[in-house]
Amino acid sequence: MSVTNAAGFVAAGVVAGLKSTGKNDVALVQNLGPNKAAAVVFTSNRAKANPIIWSQQVIGDGIVEAVVLNSGGANCYTGAFGFQTTHATAEAVAEGLGVSAGDVLVCSTGLIGVGGQDFRDKVIGGVATAIPALNDDGGHDAALAIMTTDSKPKESVVQGAGWSVGGMAKGAGMLAPGLATMLVVITTDAQLGSADLDAALRSATRVTFDRLDSDGCMSTNDQVSLLSSGASGVSPSLEVFTAAVTAVCADLAAQLQADAEGASHNISIETINAVSEDDAVEVGRSVARNNLFKAAVFGNDPNWGRVLASIGTTDAAFDPADLDVAMNGVWVCRNSTPAADPATVDLKPREVSVTIDLKSGADRATVWTNDLTHAYVHENSAYSS
């Protein structure tokens, strides 16, 4: 049920004709309250789509009545007409639900440059279809509607003591920090204000979505929204609530990684004994973005030299002559020299782990990525055709 698992939420996913496949492509999630508090985290890309620009204004007062999402067009770099389309979409939702357009978040995903009159007409038509279809079992249909190159919907639920958190996500490529080419809606019936929601969401995304670096590319449309209905009447501690939101985000991030375009390996890169968490993240991200390393994993080649070369490009504190690297639990490099025979490393399974010991401190962090495959190149070379 994902976003409708929490009490006080209804959702719908409908066909508006944006996708050539004829599948669901417009989703709507409504918060029935009594609480309407929300928090949102946006892409850090300076090139922002019209829905991001709109939604950044909406969340200013911490109140959100509904979220409308479409796949099949990013409505990015479509000029003033595109922003007017975003505004018109929010107005259509507001009129149908009897709320203010200034309390409606708008999200779009798809090809940049798509957002003309035909796009507008189909999105507005989709809104008109979605409003009467809203129901408390519509979460799955909504999750289907936001898919683009995804092969499957992404949904997650965590139960608290008398309250719950549920979420849906889309994303299968351009997964990089500052969120990813993903749209995420998380709902809860816990009773919390917008400030607590914001703190919990930022804490959760920092260690989940922001460390998913599938291909080093950052989208223009990334948005993670957290809405509270307060319908349970329960107010958990911020610590307990943050843990639940983090669990949902981690689950959704893992599903995004597993569905990355064309990938044949899921790679977790854990950097240990770093001077700081920032150093550990920097090292892990450098390896995650090394195409030579990613290509080696695709070829089942435990080429640890490419790991050390990536570490060397960072500003992290370490001794280049004293680094250890393990792949799938086999320490193939000790003290920056060959150790165990790389032939003993089995990289055929989809799950691959890399451990990097900087021997410089006590902090650690994990970054997640995928290998670089022929299928990834093919899919992205033909994305707009």
Side-chain angles (χ1 to χ4, degrees), residues 234-330:
V234 179
S235 299
S237 70
L238 182 56
E239 180 181 5
V240 169
F241 180 72
T242 299
V245 174
T246 302
V248 167
C249 290
D251 185 19
L252 292 173
Q255 293 180 55
L256 294 174
Q257 182 194 23
D259 198 28
E261 292 167 344
S264 63
H265 291 86
N266 303 330
I267 309 168
S268 63
I269 304 165
E270 183 182 27
T271 303
I272 63 175
N273 297 320
V275 164
S276 66
E277 185 180 19
D278 287 345
D279 271 13
V281 171
E282 183 183 3
V283 166
R285 202 177 303 290
S286 179
V287 176
R289 292 184 169 185
N290 186 307
N291 284 339
L292 289 175
F293 164 73
K294 291 155 75 76
V297 174
F298 170 60
N300 299 329
D301 175 15
N303 192 330
W304 55 268
R306 293 177 177 175
V307 176
L308 263 63
S310 296
I311 299 170
T313 67
T314 71
D315 293 325
F318 62 87
D319 179 355
D322 192 19
L323 296 169
D324 293 352
V325 176
M327 300 186 73
N328 280 356
V330 178

Side-chain angles (χ1 to χ4, degrees), residues 12 32 44 94 109 112 114 119 124 142 168 177 188 190 206 211 217 228 235 267 302 309 322 327-328 337 355 360 367:
L32 301 176
S44 56
T109 181
I112 290 174
V114 173
F119 172 86
I124 299 300
M168 66 177 184
T188 182
R206 185 183 71 82
R211 294 188 184 173
C217 298
S228 165
S235 299
I267 309 168
D322 192 19
M327 300 186 73
N328 280 356
T337 60
T355 306
S360 300
V367 173

Side-chain angles (χ1 to χ4, degrees), residues 7-10 29-37 64-66 227-230:
F9 290 94
V10 289
V29 180
Q30 182 184 11
N31 183 356
L32 301 176
N35 192 30
K36 304 294 179 69
V64 170
E65 295 272 2
L227 283 61
S228 165
S229 70

Side-chain angles (χ1 to χ4, degrees), residues 78-100:
T78 51
F81 182 87
F83 186 79
Q84 291 163 8
T85 295
T86 298
H87 191 173
T89 302
E91 289 282 3
V93 172
E95 182 177 355
L97 299 181
V99 301
S100 168

